[in-house]
Amino acid sequence: MAPVERQLIIGGDFREAVDGRRTTDNDPRTGEVFATVAAASVSDVTEAVDAAAAAFDEWSRTGPLRRREILLRAADLLGQYTEQAVELMAGEVGGTRPWAMFNVELAADILREAAASTTGPRGEVLTSSDPDEWSFALRQPAGVVAAFAPWNAPLILGTRAFATALAMGNTVVLKPSEQAPLAAGLWLAGILREAGLPDGVLNVITNDVADGAEIGNALIADRRVRRVNFTGSTEVGRSIGIEAARHLKPAVLELGGKNSVLVLDDADLDYAVDAVAFGAFMNAGQICMSADRVLVPETMRAEFGERLGKKVAGLPFGDPRDPDTVIGPVIDEPAARRIASLVDDALARGAVAHCGGQPPEGAMYRPTILSEVTPEQRIHSEEIFGPVTTVLGYDSVEEAIGIVNDTPYGLTGGVITADTRKGWEIARRVETGIFHINDQSVGDQPQAPFGGVKDSGFGHFGGRSGVEAFTDTRWVTFRERQARYPF
């Protein structure tokens, strides 16, 4: 099949990059070219911001019910195009059918929640020290938003990058990941366009990977951009945050994680095994919330590792286009080699594999469970972001909490226990932005404040927090009588 060809979307027009350059987007499983897209330059970035800035005045004054109507229509259209999404995600990012369908469902819910939030901004009537003056605190759209979307959950995180921003009356320039320019950007923008979004309100620029930093920095630096949001690795997110701070742009950053699931001695082991298998291996472990570490009482560790290994080894593994596949490829061969290097280092230093551990085949890496993991092994502290998890033993809950917190990251986690009181006590002590009692680490709901602490980022998407992230608070007064001045 011939590769798909796509252009930039600027001001409602489909156009090539100013200098005519293009770049490729490859199928993770086959390595073949899936699509070619325009490779933007800094000039294209400026034109995209021009379009967003030109559209801002009218869009920001568009009534909330009209904005709501467009977002709800987009949510419905997304559901109608589920099969397109399944095919797109399989070819572009190696997504399995269940993962693609989950992306469609949650992305549609994000649009519906954003639609509901159009009337969410709340002002206040403030007390004034002058009886002839009325004083108000008002929330209003910030302006042009620079949005950076990752490849791993392209429909979910691509939609999250712009949905609430648009709902609040902002305009957006979206830069999707170079590894998912269609699913995380161009395809979604097409749906919003079909739903009636006016030209210039959502613009999409795609680029060659070699130009990523230059394009991103140019977008952030443009004085008309007033908000930045980024989802991705801590390494890149730190550079985005620094650049945003240099230009005094507020940023929402959702970054990496070294997430733990804590299994207590009263847990139902069958349930715990099922929960951990989902939390560690959904989307081949390529979720910022994936469970890298499972903490189990030392007396239960061997049995738990054996049972988890048996379950995971039996999960269908292979072609993401096969509807029965649970675990498909990782995003590319370099990613598979990086994951394998973590496992190989651990095995060389005394770790034991309950399943997996074989060399990768292209971008295919078999799901792996490791125990006997120690701090000397890289996998103990580095984010895995692949189909691997580690089973660690502990002698006391106090020790387990210390292990959970002994990481620069602080995104999410979970505890599985029959005693919810113990769960609450642990939840209050772990250093994460998100925590789930009697569940694993992966969970996202569009109305909830989603964000991490420490090296997992700052700021929140979702719910009231998302409304506040993409609006400014202004103090406005008016007088009924003329003021008196001292001179």
Side-chain angles (χ1 to χ4, degrees), residues 280-296:
F281 296 100
M282 171 59 91
N283 194 33
Q286 299 172 114
I287 304 174
C288 57
M289 300 171 282
S290 293
D292 274 16
R293 303 186 295 186
V294 189
L295 280 64
V296 182

PDB file of all heavy atoms in Angstrom, residues 280-296:
ATOM      1  N   ALA A 280       0.896  -3.020  33.860  1.00  0.00           N
ATOM      2  CA  ALA A 280       2.263  -3.065  33.344  1.00  0.00           C
ATOM      3  C   ALA A 280       2.335  -3.272  31.840  1.00  0.00           C
ATOM      4  O   ALA A 280       3.319  -2.853  31.208  1.00  0.00           O
ATOM      5  CB  ALA A 280       3.048  -4.164  34.054  1.00  0.00           C
ATOM      6  N   PHE A 281       1.319  -3.921  31.243  1.00  0.00           N
ATOM      7  CA  PHE A 281       1.479  -4.365  29.852  1.00  0.00           C
ATOM      8  C   PHE A 281       0.463  -3.806  28.867  1.00  0.00           C
ATOM      9  O   PHE A 281       0.580  -4.081  27.668  1.00  0.00           O
ATOM     10  CB  PHE A 281       1.496  -5.896  29.804  1.00  0.00           C
ATOM     11  CG  PHE A 281       2.685  -6.460  30.525  1.00  0.00           C
ATOM     12  CD1 PHE A 281       2.562  -6.952  31.812  1.00  0.00           C
ATOM     13  CD2 PHE A 281       3.937  -6.448  29.935  1.00  0.00           C
ATOM     14  CE1 PHE A 281       3.662  -7.436  32.503  1.00  0.00           C
ATOM     15  CE2 PHE A 281       5.041  -6.932  30.607  1.00  0.00           C
ATOM     16  CZ  PHE A 281       4.914  -7.428  31.900  1.00  0.00           C
ATOM     17  N   MET A 282      -0.517  -3.048  29.315  1.00  0.00           N
ATOM     18  CA  MET A 282      -1.374  -2.358  28.358  1.00  0.00           C
ATOM     19  C   MET A 282      -0.507  -1.452  27.486  1.00  0.00           C
ATOM     20  O   MET A 282       0.389  -0.764  27.970  1.00  0.00           O
ATOM     21  CB  MET A 282      -2.436  -1.536  29.097  1.00  0.00           C
ATOM     22  CG  MET A 282      -3.241  -0.612  28.205  1.00  0.00           C
ATOM     23  SD  MET A 282      -4.137  -1.472  26.896  1.00  0.00           S
ATOM     24  CE  MET A 282      -5.703  -1.793  27.672  1.00  0.00           C
ATOM     25  N   ASN A 283      -0.748  -1.467  26.177  1.00  0.00           N
ATOM     26  CA  ASN A 283       0.038  -0.722  25.199  1.00  0.00           C
ATOM     27  C   ASN A 283       1.528  -1.047  25.312  1.00  0.00           C
ATOM     28  O   ASN A 283       2.382  -0.180  25.167  1.00  0.00           O
ATOM     29  CB  ASN A 283      -0.176   0.790  25.318  1.00  0.00           C
ATOM     30  CG  ASN A 283       0.369   1.530  24.099  1.00  0.00           C
ATOM     31  OD1 ASN A 283       0.356   1.027  22.986  1.00  0.00           O
ATOM     32  ND2 ASN A 283       0.880   2.734  24.324  1.00  0.00           N
ATOM     33  N   ALA A 284       1.834  -2.320  25.548  1.00  0.00           N
ATOM     34  CA  ALA A 284       3.228  -2.782  25.661  1.00  0.00           C
ATOM     35  C   ALA A 284       4.021  -1.961  26.677  1.00  0.00           C
ATOM     36  O   ALA A 284       5.215  -1.733  26.511  1.00  0.00           O
ATOM     37  CB  ALA A 284       3.908  -2.752  24.296  1.00  0.00           C
ATOM     38  N   GLY A 285       3.330  -1.541  27.745  1.00  0.00           N
ATOM     39  CA  GLY A 285       4.006  -0.793  28.804  1.00  0.00           C
ATOM     40  C   GLY A 285       4.401   0.612  28.427  1.00  0.00           C
ATOM     41  O   GLY A 285       5.132   1.277  29.176  1.00  0.00           O
ATOM     42  N   GLN A 286       3.912   1.113  27.304  1.00  0.00           N
ATOM     43  CA  GLN A 286       4.295   2.447  26.836  1.00  0.00           C
ATOM     44  C   GLN A 286       3.263   3.504  27.243  1.00  0.00           C
ATOM     45  O   GLN A 286       2.676   4.198  26.414  1.00  0.00           O
ATOM     46  CB  GLN A 286       4.454   2.421  25.307  1.00  0.00           C
ATOM     47  CG  GLN A 286       5.530   1.457  24.827  1.00  0.00           C
ATOM     48  CD  GLN A 286       5.531   1.320  23.325  1.00  0.00           C
ATOM     49  OE1 GLN A 286       6.472   1.705  22.651  1.00  0.00           O
ATOM     50  NE2 GLN A 286       4.456   0.762  22.788  1.00  0.00           N
ATOM     51  N   ILE A 287       3.042   3.580  28.543  1.00  0.00           N
ATOM     52  CA  ILE A 287       2.133   4.563  29.121  1.00  0.00           C
ATOM     53  C   ILE A 287       2.886   5.219  30.266  1.00  0.00           C
ATOM     54  O   ILE A 287       3.578   4.540  31.037  1.00  0.00           O
ATOM     55  CB  ILE A 287       0.841   3.907  29.642  1.00  0.00           C
ATOM     56  CG1 ILE A 287       0.149   3.108  28.528  1.00  0.00           C
ATOM     57  CG2 ILE A 287      -0.119   4.948  30.203  1.00  0.00           C
ATOM     58  CD1 ILE A 287      -1.061   2.319  29.004  1.00  0.00           C
ATOM     59  N   CYS A 288       2.764   6.526  30.406  1.00  0.00           N
ATOM     60  CA  CYS A 288       3.480   7.207  31.485  1.00  0.00           C
ATOM     61  C   CYS A 288       3.098   6.651  32.853  1.00  0.00           C
ATOM     62  O   CYS A 288       3.874   6.743  33.804  1.00  0.00           O
ATOM     63  CB  CYS A 288       3.194   8.704  31.433  1.00  0.00           C
ATOM     64  SG  CYS A 288       1.430   9.124  31.541  1.00  0.00           S
ATOM     65  N   MET A 289       1.914   6.037  32.948  1.00  0.00           N
ATOM     66  CA  MET A 289       1.424   5.499  34.223  1.00  0.00           C
ATOM     67  C   MET A 289       1.738   4.019  34.423  1.00  0.00           C
ATOM     68  O   MET A 289       1.358   3.437  35.443  1.00  0.00           O
ATOM     69  CB  MET A 289      -0.098   5.689  34.306  1.00  0.00           C
ATOM     70  CG  MET A 289      -0.550   7.125  34.218  1.00  0.00           C
ATOM     71  SD  MET A 289      -2.357   7.246  34.048  1.00  0.00           S
ATOM     72  CE  MET A 289      -2.577   6.847  32.305  1.00  0.00           C
ATOM     73  N   SER A 290       2.406   3.381  33.461  1.00  0.00           N
ATOM     74  CA  SER A 290       2.642   1.938  33.541  1.00  0.00           C
ATOM     75  C   SER A 290       3.363   1.558  34.830  1.00  0.00           C
ATOM     76  O   SER A 290       4.212   2.304  35.333  1.00  0.00           O
ATOM     77  CB  SER A 290       3.473   1.472  32.344  1.00  0.00           C
ATOM     78  OG  SER A 290       2.755   1.604  31.144  1.00  0.00           O
ATOM     79  N   ALA A 291       3.034   0.363  35.323  1.00  0.00           N
ATOM     80  CA  ALA A 291       3.618  -0.121  36.582  1.00  0.00           C
ATOM     81  C   ALA A 291       4.991  -0.718  36.308  1.00  0.00           C
ATOM     82  O   ALA A 291       5.105  -1.833  35.804  1.00  0.00           O
ATOM     83  CB  ALA A 291       2.697  -1.158  37.217  1.00  0.00           C
ATOM     84  N   ASP A 292       6.037   0.018  36.643  1.00  0.00           N
ATOM     85  CA  ASP A 292       7.405  -0.480  36.495  1.00  0.00           C
ATOM     86  C   ASP A 292       7.796  -1.408  37.643  1.00  0.00           C
ATOM     87  O   ASP A 292       8.670  -2.256  37.480  1.00  0.00           O
ATOM     88  CB  ASP A 292       8.392   0.689  36.488  1.00  0.00           C
ATOM     89  CG  ASP A 292       8.578   1.298  35.108  1.00  0.00           C
ATOM     90  OD1 ASP A 292       7.743   1.041  34.229  1.00  0.00           O
ATOM     91  OD2 ASP A 292       9.566   2.042  34.918  1.00  0.00           O
ATOM     92  N   ARG A 293       7.165  -1.196  38.809  1.00  0.00           N
ATOM     93  CA  ARG A 293       7.563  -1.949  40.001  1.00  0.00           C
ATOM     94  C   ARG A 293       6.315  -2.470  40.719  1.00  0.00           C
ATOM     95  O   ARG A 293       5.340  -1.745  40.884  1.00  0.00           O
ATOM     96  CB  ARG A 293       8.358  -1.062  40.959  1.00  0.00           C
ATOM     97  CG  ARG A 293       9.585  -0.443  40.306  1.00  0.00           C
ATOM     98  CD  ARG A 293      10.447   0.319  41.296  1.00  0.00           C
ATOM     99  NE  ARG A 293       9.781   1.482  41.843  1.00  0.00           N
ATOM    100  CZ  ARG A 293      10.375   2.369  42.631  1.00  0.00           C
ATOM    101  NH1 ARG A 293      11.645   2.223  42.971  1.00  0.00           N
ATOM    102  NH2 ARG A 293       9.712   3.413  43.089  1.00  0.00           N
ATOM    103  N   VAL A 294       6.395  -3.729  41.122  1.00  0.00           N
ATOM    104  CA  VAL A 294       5.340  -4.332  41.935  1.00  0.00           C
ATOM    105  C   VAL A 294       5.968  -4.728  43.261  1.00  0.00           C
ATOM    106  O   VAL A 294       6.918  -5.508  43.290  1.00  0.00           O
ATOM    107  CB  VAL A 294       4.731  -5.572  41.259  1.00  0.00           C
ATOM    108  CG1 VAL A 294       3.500  -6.021  42.019  1.00  0.00           C
ATOM    109  CG2 VAL A 294       4.396  -5.292  39.799  1.00  0.00           C
ATOM    110  N   LEU A 295       5.464  -4.175  44.341  1.00  0.00           N
ATOM    111  CA  LEU A 295       6.006  -4.451  45.663  1.00  0.00           C
ATOM    112  C   LEU A 295       5.112  -5.460  46.368  1.00  0.00           C
ATOM    113  O   LEU A 295       3.911  -5.213  46.555  1.00  0.00           O
ATOM    114  CB  LEU A 295       6.110  -3.167  46.489  1.00  0.00           C
ATOM    115  CG  LEU A 295       7.323  -2.266  46.202  1.00  0.00           C
ATOM    116  CD1 LEU A 295       7.285  -1.711  44.785  1.00  0.00           C
ATOM    117  CD2 LEU A 295       7.389  -1.129  47.197  1.00  0.00           C
ATOM    118  N   VAL A 296       5.691  -6.584  46.751  1.00  0.00           N
ATOM    119  CA  VAL A 296       4.950  -7.715  47.309  1.00  0.00           C
ATOM    120  C   VAL A 296       5.639  -8.151  48.607  1.00  0.00           C
ATOM    121  O   VAL A 296       6.878  -8.124  48.673  1.00  0.00           O
ATOM    122  CB  VAL A 296       4.926  -8.890  46.308  1.00  0.00           C
ATOM    123  CG1 VAL A 296       4.113 -10.047  46.840  1.00  0.00           C
ATOM    124  CG2 VAL A 296       4.375  -8.440  44.958  1.00  0.00           C
TER     125      VAL A 296
END
